[in-house]
Amino acid sequence: MSRLIVVSNRVTQASAGKATGGLAVGVHDALQGSGGMWLGWNGEVSSDDNPNPPSASATHDGIDYCTFPLTHRDYDRYYRGFSNATLWPAFHYRADISRYRREDYEGYLQVNRDFARRLAPMLKPDDVIWVHDYHLLAFGRYCRDMGITNRIGFFLHIPFPAAEVFRTVPPHRELAQAMCAYDLLGFQTQADEHAFTDYCVRFLNASREDHGMSVEGRQVRTGAYPIGIDPDDVARMSRANRTRQVVALKSGLADRKLIISVDRLDYSKGIVERFNAFERLLEHGPGHRGSVSFVQIAPTSRSDVLGYREIRRDLERSAGRINGKWGELAWTPLRYMNRSYERSVLMPLMRASQVGLVTPLRDGMNLVAKEYVAAQPPEDPGVLVLSEFAGAACEMKEGALLVNPYDVEGMALTLDRALRMPLAERAQRHEVLMRRLRAYDLAQWRDSFLADLRNAGQHGAPGGRPALELQAVGL
Ligand code: ADQ
């Protein structure tokens, strides 16, 4: 079988027994099975004095890891700048806070080109390349410009926005053209896939075809591949020996019900709106006062990116106000933990909670929603309250209670319903959700993407001029 090469912004190792989530686990087995390689940033930031820090190679568990640091300048322009201050907000429908600077875009292109330059000499002719996420939209285009004709697939973990929102990113046309250099473009949902193809039809003169489009004389395959979890692994972890923290939390709760939310601290996750909904529940439902506690776990992420410090401050204020107003000596309504916990603690915590409250304003998928369901005891499962704007809602609408996170009153009413739901309904909903989680798990996500990539029709260098070079010259 041909070798698999994974390319992503960050490289994480998932060694046996080490508890990691998401991408690392998802691609680990496929990499191991093909004697594969993973290329990307090692998380370190080096001095600008050496603009080309060397790559380091290491082999673990039959996987070659090729990693390198980013210089300060690259970190600033490519990572903090264009990836996380321009693309991330715009792709999460926050064009209002997306900030564009030409020098950031230039740095983004340069790092994308640098990733391709590092990979090129290590490639074998039949290697298959799988690229991940919004940091590397232009990577494939640079590979083609370097004459690389291997099959290259790309998976976007975050939403692809509607064309009118995507157009607020100034180099939108070049980015979409660059994305069309990939042989297969995978999205979390059909809505994301359609948003991308709609844009291409309207602005790149693409024509739709079965399984994709024809753009500038080449076929680009597109598809929806909703990322899954390993439900049995989550269930096992959730049942494992109760950790000290979980036991302490349970004894502090006495007989109170527990609502839990777990996120990275990010404005896209709708945490402030969620706090407001919990406050509304206490205001309008006197029966819940003193009998339910809400635990929000949200460790800081990207603290040096625009907008992230503000969200932390807003949450601290909001949690303080709610506890100040409603708390009692023997009851803290809202526990907001701005720190991270191991998965071995999070999964039992989810299992111990009667409601999983997952209400992002916009999310590519949201794996916490799936993990919450898989962590539940089937004989007495909790209820998932899920935002209709999470990619996960497409698959989970039958079993979860869907909410609009902009409707604080509606979320409070749904929380009330979830807390009162009888066992028979909870069990029936849980069964429906588990069936779906098992039918489309993490292995299925990975295997279906890779099967389609291996079968993707034509591949090789696209025709036409290298648009990104033009932009870089114009800067
Ligand atoms: P994220 O925005 O990071 O990922 P999410 O899917 O919620 O979002 O979480 C990914 C993983 O991180 C999960 O396994 C989860 O358990 C873990 N995680 C989240 N919060 C945590 C916390 N506080 N402590 C410890 N672990 C935590 C992006 C997209 C998502 C998409 C994923 C995967 O934004 O929409 O679901 O990629 O494609």
Side-chain angles (χ1 to χ4, degrees):
M1 206 215 312
S2 54
R3 185 171 70 148
L4 176 65
I5 312 276
V6 170
V7 182
S8 64
N9 170 56
R10 277 297 298 273
V11 171
T12 31
Q13 281 176 28
S15 51
K18 197 175 155 207
T20 23
L23 180 63
V25 173
V27 298
H28 182 265
D29 292 353
L31 280 168
Q32 213 172 23
S34 75
M37 180 170 80
W38 194 340
L39 177 110
W41 178 31
N42 63 10
E44 287 167 20
V45 179
S46 69
S47 151
D48 290 333
D49 296 341
N50 179 4
N52 291 308
S55 304
S57 295
T59 304
H60 296 287
D61 282 350
I63 301 170
D64 295 327
Y65 292 90
C66 175
T67 59
F68 44 86
L70 290 176
T71 63
H72 273 290
R73 193 175 147 85
D74 289 344
Y75 175 78
D76 219 44
R77 301 191 311 170
Y78 149 81
Y79 182 76
R80 280 181 65 206
F82 194 70
S83 294
N84 286 314
T86 308
L87 291 179
W88 175 274
F91 279 36
H92 288 85
Y93 286 76
R94 291 298 307 271
D96 58 322
I97 57 168
S98 172
R99 181 209 60 186
Y100 174 69
R101 295 194 318 188
R102 281 180 166 232
E103 70 209 63
D104 289 345
Y105 180 51
E106 192 184 6
Y108 178 86
L109 295 184
Q110 184 224 300
V111 171
N112 273 245
R113 192 191 300 123
D114 184 54
F115 268 61
R117 184 184 57 76
R118 288 177 189 271
L119 177 64
M122 294 182 285
L123 272 181
K124 296 176 188 162
D126 63 345
D127 285 345
V128 170
I129 306 166
W130 188 4
V131 183
H132 291 265
D133 232 357
Y134 60 102
H135 315 86
L136 296 170
L137 298 178
F139 167 85
R141 180 65 203 230
Y142 286 117
C143 288
R144 299 305 184 211
D145 288 350
M146 286 172 197
I148 294 170
T149 55
N150 298 57
R151 282 198 166 76
I152 316 180
F154 174 86
F155 182 77
L156 185 66
H157 289 256
I158 66 175
F160 192 88
E164 289 307 309
V165 177
F166 182 51
R167 287 176 63 214
T168 64
V169 178
H172 57 90
R173 186 183 297 273
E174 287 164 344
L175 288 172
Q177 279 169 337
M179 288 172 74
C180 291
Y182 289 113
D183 295 301
L184 170 63
L185 288 160
F187 299 88
Q188 297 275 24
T189 66
Q190 269 186 358
D192 297 314
E193 181 194 1
H194 290 163
F196 179 73
T197 52
D198 280 349
Y199 173 90
C200 293
V201 168
R202 283 178 60 195
F203 296 99
L204 301 185
N205 269 330
S207 45
R208 290 183 207 278
E209 298 189 340
D210 285 353
H211 308 301
M213 312 174 292
S214 163
V215 194
E216 293 177 0
R218 70 188 299 276
Q219 263 68 48
V220 183
R221 186 166 178 158
T222 61
Y225 305 87
I227 191 167
I229 60 166
D230 179 341
D232 293 332
D233 188 49
V234 170
R236 184 189 49 72
M237 224 184 291
S238 75
R239 285 191 306 262
N241 287 338
R242 292 287 203 74
T243 61
R244 199 171 40 79
Q245 288 106 315
V246 180
V247 173
L249 177 77
K250 284 297 279 178
S251 68
L253 282 174
D255 285 335
R256 289 186 194 106
K257 290 194 169 168
L258 186 60
I259 300 170
I260 192 162
S261 294
V262 177
D263 307 83
R264 261 184 323 97
L265 191 64
D266 195 293
Y267 47 80
S268 65
K269 301 290 182 183
I271 306 176
V272 174
E273 291 77 1
R274 188 184 297 163
F275 282 12
N276 292 340
F278 179 64
E279 184 173 20
R280 200 62 63 90
L281 176 79
L282 299 180
E283 242 167 48
H284 294 313
H288 294 299
R289 289 179 212 155
S291 67
V292 59
S293 285
F294 174 23
V295 170
Q296 168 73 61
I297 294 173
T300 304
S301 70
R302 304 176 192 161
S303 52
D304 56 350
V305 175
L306 207 74
Y308 283 76
R309 263 196 296 271
E310 290 77 3
I311 167 86
R312 185 172 167 186
R313 190 197 54 214
D314 292 350
L315 285 179
E316 279 162 7
R317 270 199 203 139
S318 176
R321 193 193 65 242
I322 293 169
N323 283 334
K325 184 168 176 190
W326 301 101
E328 293 163 13
L329 285 176
W331 171 57
T332 307
L334 196 168
R335 298 179 200 208
Y336 162 47
M337 261 84 88
N338 178 222
R339 52 161 290 189
S340 68
Y341 288 91
E342 296 279 318
R343 288 169 70 75
S344 58
V345 176
L346 288 180
M347 302 306 150
L349 258 183
M350 291 189 193
R351 189 179 179 89
S353 308
Q354 283 64 43
V355 177
L357 186 56
V358 184
T359 56
L361 302 175
R362 194 63 69 166
D363 219 328
M365 176 54 59
N366 197 303
L367 291 180
V368 173
K370 296 185 171 181
E371 288 162 351
Y372 175 77
V373 170
Q376 294 310 300
E379 67 285 359
D380 185 17
V383 180
L384 175 66
V385 175
L386 178 62
S387 163
E388 60 184 277
F389 301 119
C394 301
E395 299 167 81
M396 303 179 93
K397 49 171 132 359
E398 270 181 63
L401 297 181
L402 290 197
V403 290
N404 183 328
Y406 297 93
D407 177 7
V408 168
E409 197 73 44
M411 278 198 282
L413 288 169
T414 307
L415 271 178
D416 178 67
R417 181 176 167 203
L419 287 162
R420 294 170 192 277
M421 191 180 284
L423 174 60
E425 184 178 352
R426 284 188 278 125
Q428 187 262 333
R429 285 174 178 272
H430 180 253
E431 203 185 311
V432 169
L433 289 170
M434 283 305 291
R435 225 177 290 136
R436 171 70 201 190
L437 291 188
R438 284 190 205 291
Y440 207 93
D441 64 5
L442 190 60
Q444 169 74 15
W445 166 74
R446 177 193 65 214
D447 294 346
S448 59
F449 183 93
L450 287 176
D452 285 353
L453 177 57
R454 291 198 157 98
N455 289 327
Q458 164 202 351
H459 57 289
R465 301 174 72 190
L468 297 179
E469 293 300 338
L470 290 179
Q471 171 72 20
V473 169
L475 282 166

